Amino acid sequence: MNLAFKNRYLALGEGFYEQCKPTPVAEPGLITFNHELGAELGLSVQGLDEHFLAAVFSGNVIHEACEPLAMAYAGHQFGHFNPQLGDGRAIYLGELDLADGGALDIQLKGSGRTRYSRNGDGRAALGPVLREYLLSEAMHQLHVPTTRALAAVTTGEQVARERLLPGGVITRAASSFIRVGSFQYFSMQGDTPSVKALADYVIERNYPEVRDADNPCLALFESVVLRQASLIAQWMQLGFIHGVMNTDNMSIAGETIDYGPCAFMDFYSHHQVYSSIDRQGRYAYSNQPNMGVWNLSRLAEALLPLLAEDADTAVSLATEILERYITHYEQQWLSGFRAKCGLTAIAAVKPEEDKMLLESLLEIMAENQADFTLTFYTLSQLTAEPNDKDAALRELFAQPEAIDDWLVRWRQRLSFETMTDSKRQACMQSVNPVYIPRNHQIEAVIRAAEDHNDFGPFHALHEVLQNPFQYQQGKDHYMLPPAPDEVVLQTFCGT
Ligand code: AMP
Ligand code: MG
């Protein structure tokens, strides 16, 4: 296996990281290796012993070309600034080239203490490792930009959380592990040269298209803002709640990162919160777009000295771009939800009218505890003319008649479209998943692994989520919302 890591981050200098090695674990065991991603990274594990792979992906064996490090960053956590965070339980191994150009950064998470561990043990429990593996890979298959999971291992050690739990290590891959908080770290120290060095690094690695812009840092900021707006619009379209959108958990590359207490909604609720630590609902479903722009405003503050020589000019340039976040988000929201309902932008219908139609669907879903994913999936089966198939949609609503008027309005709106039923259904099915990683299923996977050392449910759920838009024979129970005794009310970050 050719783990020829490059490490261009190292050249940024000592203030950006601590060079450190993973702390070996007692008895690593391979849970899974992501062959699809491995192939993209040119990693062939054919013929390699599982023990060797477990040793590599636990950090027990480090490739000789690898110069591992833990990155420094700061961050606003639930609105409060913490100047000193950093990789407290993650270690960056370096970059691997992608077969079709570009590179991904590779990191072990759960690999031991670093300078940034504060009071933490530097470890991860097995449950959150399995969660992150399933959720991040599901997000990828759902076409949402995300960090990926390359491997997961058990450690043969226990970690002390609210009780003793088995430990794990996940190997993650990302376009970048640099966060909004990475810029804040230097900005708060008044270290503009380091902010500039970081911006240049990010441009080189992730936004080469802005390199030749008149004002590259401004162009970088604009690109980051637009990517983030699109990302959050995609979350909203899948009922995804990140749960801990602190500035240290917002990737500069516009990827979903740090799968802690995140969750996909079952029944639709505008203000849904799952995270046990989000007591004020700061990161509730409906608040995510606002929190996105809040975080990006913190990024703007960090970048201000790079945007213009004169502070007022810098502020007005940044403000203009932040305003574009809002319009871009709204456009993405509208086009995404239109597509979910089989609608396209047409001249005869004002965007505000479509917005009202779509919002009223969500309203009715909320009033009737309709399952978010099943509602859109079932809507994708309906025809332009009412028929007995409507029953399947109606029964998702606590009061089935509550959706009748809306269906009439939807069909009136459909009459402006030119697509045939089957074409429209195919389009809708390509954006409305059948399967999402539901909380109760993740919980069942974790219980089996933790309590019975049984990884069968993990592999089975992972396989279903590899094709989330495809109905799979015999997998109906993966479509279903939780039974009353399976409902997960709270999710935990497990740190
Ligand atoms: P998170 O909530 O995972 O985004 O983590 C917030 C901060 O706490 C980051 O700096 C992490 O590296 C650090 N952290 C979380 N869990 C641990 C742990 N078990 N040991 C050391 N540091 C941790
Ligand atoms: Mg984090």
Side-chain angles (χ1 to χ4, degrees):
M1 184 167 47
N2 181 22
L3 280 170
F5 289 110
K6 284 188 293 189
N7 192 334
R8 286 180 272 178
Y9 197 79
L10 216 48
L12 284 169
E14 289 208 336
F16 287 76
Y17 51 78
E18 176 203 21
Q19 280 192 274
C20 58
K21 290 204 158 63
T23 309
V25 302
E27 206 185 322
L30 186 70
I31 303 168
T32 189
F33 175 78
N34 186 338
H35 292 276
E36 181 213 325
L37 179 59
E40 288 175 41
L41 293 166
L43 301 179
S44 162
V45 298
Q46 214 76 87
L48 290 178
D49 172 28
E50 281 208 358
H51 293 289
F52 176 69
L53 291 178
V56 168
F57 293 112
S58 60
N60 278 17
V61 168
I62 289 288
H63 190 273
E64 56 189 18
C66 179
E67 298 180 83
L69 56 85
M71 295 181 178
Y73 53 81
H76 274 90
Q77 299 183 300
F78 292 92
H80 302 286
F81 186 66
N82 189 333
Q84 189 52 261
L85 291 167
D87 292 332
R89 55 165 169 169
I91 289 182
Y92 175 64
L93 298 178
E95 297 167 44
L96 290 178
D97 286 335
L98 282 163
D100 56 3
L104 288 181
D105 286 334
I106 310 293
Q107 192 189 61
L108 301 175
K109 183 171 173 184
S111 47
R113 286 179 54 80
T114 74
R115 177 195 286 170
Y116 311 106
S117 298
R118 295 171 292 156
N119 297 322
D121 59 4
R123 294 299 185 193
L126 176 61
V129 164
L130 298 178
R131 237 181 118 69
E132 172 149 359
Y133 198 101
L134 289 171
L135 278 148
S136 62
E137 285 302 299
M139 283 297 244
H140 173 70
Q141 300 298 346
L142 290 163
H143 311 312
V144 182
T146 176
T147 61
R148 304 277 317 263
L150 181 62
V153 298
T154 51
T155 60
E157 294 177 3
Q158 294 196 307
V159 296
R161 296 295 180 263
E162 59 285 4
R163 58 195 172 92
L164 284 180
L165 295 168
V169 176
I170 183 167
T171 306
R172 315 194 277 186
S175 299
S176 177
F177 285 108
I178 295 169
R179 304 132 193 277
V180 167
S182 313
F183 286 88
Q184 291 181 289
Y185 179 80
F186 297 106
S187 150
M188 290 296 174
Q189 298 172 36
D191 183 357
T192 304
S194 292
V195 178
K196 173 81 167 67
L198 196 59
D200 289 343
Y201 177 87
V202 169
I203 290 173
E204 207 50 45
R205 276 294 310 277
N206 304 108
Y207 297 87
E209 66 281 7
V210 309
R211 203 164 29 200
D212 300 322
D214 291 341
N215 185 340
C217 285
L218 187 68
L220 168 66
F221 180 57
E222 178 175 22
S223 300
V224 172
V225 164
L226 297 183
R227 277 196 202 176
Q228 202 57 236
S230 302
L231 176 70
I232 296 174
Q234 280 189 283
W235 291 354
M236 300 302 275
Q237 286 150 27
L238 290 166
F240 177 77
I241 305 164
H242 183 283
V244 56
M245 288 175 68
N246 293 331
T247 57
D248 55 305
N249 291 337
M250 184 178 266
S251 157
I252 204 70
E255 291 175 340
T256 314
I257 190 171
D258 278 13
Y259 290 83
C262 59
F264 283 79
M265 284 198 260
D266 294 303
F267 67 80
Y268 178 74
S269 164
H270 203 53
H271 302 294
Q272 184 68 49
V273 176
Y274 286 103
S275 167
S276 60
I277 51 174
D278 189 5
R279 295 201 183 82
Q280 315 285 325
R282 180 179 171 90
Y283 301 131
Y285 172 77
S286 54
N287 226 15
Q288 298 187 114
N290 295 335
M291 286 300 111
V293 76
W294 193 91
N295 288 351
L296 291 165
S297 305
R298 305 291 78 76
L299 177 62
E301 286 163 7
L303 293 177
L304 280 180
L306 309 183
L307 301 185
E309 271 176 29
D310 161 63
D312 290 340
T313 311
V315 169
S316 74
L317 289 170
T319 307
E320 229 170 83
I321 289 173
L322 288 168
E323 281 162 6
R324 290 198 46 210
Y325 169 95
I326 298 164
T327 46
H328 187 69
Y329 170 78
E330 283 177 352
Q331 280 164 4
Q332 296 294 307
W333 186 94
L334 186 60
S335 65
F337 272 96
R338 267 185 183 141
K340 286 177 81 68
C341 291
L343 306 176
T344 60
I346 48 177
V349 182
K350 293 200 187 90
E352 307 85 74
E353 285 176 41
D354 274 349
K355 187 161 180 255
M356 270 161 52
L357 179 71
L358 298 165
E359 283 177 344
S360 71
L361 171 61
L362 293 173
E363 194 65 33
I364 301 163
M365 286 162 64
E367 284 162 6
N368 286 273
Q369 290 91 50
D371 184 81
F372 185 86
T373 305
L374 285 183
T375 298
F376 288 103
Y377 171 67
T378 311
L379 189 67
S380 313
Q381 324 288 320
L382 300 194
T383 47
E385 288 303 319
N387 61 25
D388 53 6
K389 285 203 167 168
D390 288 6
L393 182 73
R394 295 178 86 246
E395 72 188 24
L396 297 175
F397 290 75
Q399 299 196 304
E401 63 280 11
I403 194 62
D404 290 347
D405 284 347
W406 189 85
L407 280 177
V408 172
R409 288 167 64 200
W410 177 63
R411 288 187 162 115
Q412 281 165 353
R413 173 63 180 79
L414 274 189
S415 67
F416 290 92
E417 299 285 340
T418 52
M419 267 190 253
T420 60
D421 269 340
S422 62
K423 180 84 194 342
R424 189 194 64 257
Q425 287 164 346
C427 288
M428 290 172 75
Q429 284 162 26
S430 74
V431 293
N432 290 322
V434 193
Y435 310 100
I436 48 154
R438 292 183 184 267
N439 298 323
H440 68 291
Q441 287 158 353
I442 305 265
E443 194 51 37
V445 160
I446 295 174
R447 290 273 58 78
E450 263 183 12
D451 302 346
H452 307 291
N453 199 29
D454 175 7
F455 291 90
F458 167 82
H459 293 296
L461 179 57
H462 178 252
E463 194 181 318
V464 170
L465 293 171
Q466 287 292 95
N467 284 301
F469 297 105
Q470 192 93 52
Y471 176 78
Q472 298 164 45
Q473 212 76 46
K475 308 289 180 188
D476 283 11
H477 74 281
Y478 287 106
M479 294 171 66
L480 299 179
D485 64 336
E486 292 174 322
V487 173
V488 174
L489 294 173
Q490 271 196 330
T491 52
F492 301 87
C493 49
T495 53

